[in-house]
Every structure is written in structure tokens, then in C-alpha cells.
Amino acid sequence: MRAKLGVTALALLFLAGLWLVAAPFVVGYQPRGAALTAATVNDLWIGGALAGGSFLSLVWYAADLLHELTTRRGKLRRSG
């Protein structure tokens, strides 16, 4: 149960980071063709860090889970 909650939280953080990166252009507070505003730069940095960090955490969790499953499978083969 705790693992599902953690993965769900990381997935939501990843989506929130992606939204922060896309929001200035989707919502339209970054004028097209103009220099980046301070709000846009802030959204890009914070959103990128949030999306990148949560993505790396999801990959790390998946790798750890795969390692645990393969280790368990090896132990079952040796004992059976």
C-alpha cells in the first residue's frame, strides 16, 4: 500500500513538473517571440527540476523493484 502511494505521489509530481514547464506557453503569459519573462524562467527551472527529480526517482524505484524480483526468483530456483 505504501509503495503504491509513493509511486502515485511521484507520478503526480512528474506531471506537475511537466505542467509547470508547459504552462507559460499553454496559458499564454509568455508572449510568442518575446524574451523569456521572469515567471517563465522560474516555471521552466522549477518544473524541470521537479519533473527530472521525480522521473529519476521513478526509474530508481523501478530498477530496485526489478532487482528485488530477480533476486527473489533466483532464491526460489536454488531452493526448489
Side-chain angles (χ1 to χ4, degrees), residues 17-35:
L18 289 181
W19 170 249
L20 282 174
V21 170
F25 310 102
V26 173
V27 176
Y29 63 84
Q30 171 60 46
R32 185 172 275 192

Side-chain angles (χ1 to χ4, degrees), residues 9-71:
L10 285 173
L12 289 174
L13 283 173
F14 177 70
L15 292 175
L18 289 181
W19 170 249
L20 282 174
V21 170
F25 310 102
V26 173
V27 176
Y29 63 84
Q30 171 60 46
R32 185 172 275 192
L36 295 178
T37 64
T40 300
V41 171
N42 185 49
D43 276 1
L44 292 175
W45 277 106
I46 299 299
L50 194 61
S54 58
F55 180 76
L56 289 176
S57 296
L58 282 168
V59 169
W60 187 2
Y61 176 78
D64 187 47
L65 182 62
L66 183 63
H67 175 70
E68 182 181 332
L69 289 174
T70 55
T71 303

